[in-house]
Amino acid sequence: MDHTGERGSRVRLYLAIAAIVVVGLLILYVLGVFGGGPRQLSAKKLRCVVSQQVTPFGDKVLYYDGTTLFCLNSNGTEQWKYALGAGARFAASDTSVAAWIGAHLHILDQNGHATYNDRLSDPIQYAKPGRQYVAVVIGDSFSPTLLIKDMGGLAVDSETVAYSDKMILDMGFFENDNYLWTTALDVYGVAPLTVMNVYQVGAMNTGEVDLGEEIPYAVLYSNTKLNVINTRESNLYDYRGTPDPLSKQLVYGWRLIDSVTGGGDALMLFAPELQTADTQQITELRVLTGGRRDSRYTLPDTCVGAGLRGNSLFAFSSDSLFKAELNAQRFSAAKLPIPDPVTGYIGRLTNGVALVNAGQEVYAVTLP
């Protein structure tokens, strides 16, 4: 009797069964049964409403109910709250918050602890927090004073002369908060004239740039360059304010709606200007990258908002999520698990969660 042949058959049978089991386990892993593989599209209704200044805060969400500032995680669990009183405004970076009422300034860390809470000498127009410092514009709208404070409220810098007869439009820290840019409008000129100032924090002004009549609405820092974007074009400047003469990209008719910055060239997402008015109805997208990429995309349906995540883009219609890699030829689509039509896109968190609203209700959507 040939027992060797029987043993060989059994071994082959066992190996075949083992292979089937391994393949089955791999399929279950990819489907996410064991917590691995691609994330599933999901949506969590948050307790805030869209009119409460809902704001991304790193991987968390801020909102202000008229008296108190609340911080939620992306699952909707309250992380902290801070009493501000009525009439407050606030701005957030990924790690800190600046809030103000009149001349009173509050600086909060990422855990909601006040590192500074006091009155300044003049009413606050607005403030912008970074990682190490907070920039504050105080005084009259015309000829204001720019203050820079550290997180403990200690005065680091101030500037008044550069903004005589000007209105500060915007500002932001860059290069690990070692530098600050501001844009200002000369309000008494025959024609509108915009100036960008670049400061080394705690030291001297490193550059002043005449930006001409076109008013910039966004400045992005990436790959050691400042991308200055107005309604006509995008231009690059170094940290001293020296322009790159070969960097001009025409963006007339398009509006910046999202960006990704870091060590490489800024990745910039645009939508048609006329489709980004009060009610967003976006059908086209355009992606620019440092003069090397200029890609156009036609969306499968009218969308209320769009954004970038890594090397892909996504967009929300009233009932679907559309997603595509930047070099892809087509979008994938998935139905949103939200009972009512989505009417707006608020922004994205750093953990791959997007905030949308359906009427007044706010949802945290986990992007797959």
Side-chain angles (χ1 to χ4, degrees):
M1 192 170 182
D2 188 4
H3 295 291
T4 304
E6 279 186 38
R7 283 198 299 270
S9 296
R10 284 199 297 270
V11 168
R12 285 193 294 273
L13 177 62
Y14 294 152
L15 289 174
I17 293 172
I20 292 170
V21 170
V22 169
V23 170
L25 290 173
L26 286 172
I27 292 172
L28 291 174
Y29 178 80
V30 169
L31 292 175
V33 171
F34 302 126
R39 301 196 306 183
Q40 299 300 305
L41 175 64
S42 62
K44 175 72 175 180
K45 182 180 175 181
L46 304 182
R47 70 188 196 192
C48 49
V49 295
V50 72
S51 57
Q52 292 177 322
Q53 300 178 48
V54 179
T55 303
F57 180 46
D59 61 355
K60 298 179 176 59
V61 183
L62 297 174
Y63 75 95
Y64 171 65
D65 71 354
T67 57
T68 303
L69 182 66
F70 292 92
C71 177
L72 310 177
N73 66 17
S74 56
N75 291 321
T77 304
E78 183 179 303
Q79 302 298 289
W80 51 262
K81 61 183 178 181
Y82 184 85
L84 287 171
R89 296 166 61 200
F90 71 92
S93 67
D94 285 347
T95 57
S96 58
V97 182
W100 61 96
I101 310 172
H104 202 124
L105 177 65
H106 305 258
I107 301 175
L108 311 179
D109 64 17
Q110 59 188 350
N111 298 313
H113 300 136
T115 58
Y116 178 77
N117 175 6
D118 208 347
R119 293 184 64 83
L120 305 183
S121 58
D122 291 291
I124 299 168
Q125 291 185 35
Y126 63 96
K128 283 285 188 74
R131 291 182 173 273
Q132 301 184 65
Y133 305 108
V134 175
V136 189
V137 179
I138 65 171
D140 297 330
S141 296
F142 304 139
S143 301
T145 295
L146 171 67
L147 299 179
I148 301 176
K149 291 181 170 290
D150 66 14
M151 290 302 170
L154 183 67
V156 176
D157 237 332
S158 67
E159 177 62 56
T160 302
V161 175
Y163 304 111
S164 176
D165 295 335
K166 293 185 178 68
M167 177 172 62
I168 299 178
L169 300 174
D170 201 2
M171 56 195 179
F173 292 98
F174 65 98
E175 192 61 49
N176 197 31
D177 281 17
N178 291 317
Y179 294 88
L180 174 80
W181 60 263
T182 68
T183 53
L185 177 66
D186 184 349
V187 295
Y188 294 111
V190 176
L193 178 64
T194 309
V195 174
M196 180 172 71
N197 289 87
V198 181
Y199 301 94
Q200 184 176 1
V201 175
M204 61 189 298
N205 188 356
T206 60
E208 181 174 304
V209 187
D210 180 356
L211 297 178
E213 296 184 15
E214 298 292 335
I215 297 177
Y217 64 87
V219 178
L220 308 172
Y221 179 71
S222 196
N223 196 21
T224 72
K225 299 289 186 180
L226 290 165
N227 298 258
V228 180
I229 302 150
N230 59 44
T231 55
R232 182 175 298 277
E233 60 196 31
S234 171
N235 290 283
L236 286 177
Y237 298 84
D238 67 15
Y239 75 99
R240 294 184 180 276
T242 304
D244 180 344
L246 302 177
S247 67
K248 182 184 296 186
Q249 291 177 294
L250 294 177
V251 294
Y252 181 77
W254 295 85
R255 184 83 178 179
L256 182 74
I257 58 173
D258 199 10
S259 62
V260 175
T261 58
D265 291 336
L267 193 65
M268 299 178 286
L269 179 65
F270 291 80
E273 184 86 39
L274 296 178
Q275 297 180 5
T276 58
D278 295 337
T279 303
Q280 295 204 356
Q281 295 184 320
I282 301 171
T283 60
E284 296 178 81
L285 295 171
R286 180 183 180 189
V287 174
L288 295 178
T289 310
R292 295 198 308 271
R293 177 195 291 272
D294 188 348
S295 304
R296 310 288 178 97
Y297 305 84
T298 299
L299 291 165
D301 195 3
T302 300
C303 290
V304 299
L308 294 165
R309 183 184 177 219
N311 209 35
S312 64
L313 56 86
F314 61 89
F316 290 98
S317 71
S318 61
D319 63 358
S320 299
L321 167 69
F322 303 115
K323 186 180 177 185
E325 298 298 316
L326 292 181
N327 57 357
Q329 299 299 311
R330 58 188 294 121
F331 284 90
S332 62
K335 286 293 182 182
L336 290 169
I338 296 175
D340 299 308
V342 172
T343 54
Y345 168 64
I346 299 168
R348 57 178 166 80
L349 311 184
T350 56
N351 59 353
V353 172
L355 302 177
V356 301
N357 64 288
Q360 281 290 304
E361 303 296 340
V362 176
Y363 291 84
V365 178
T366 298
L367 300 175

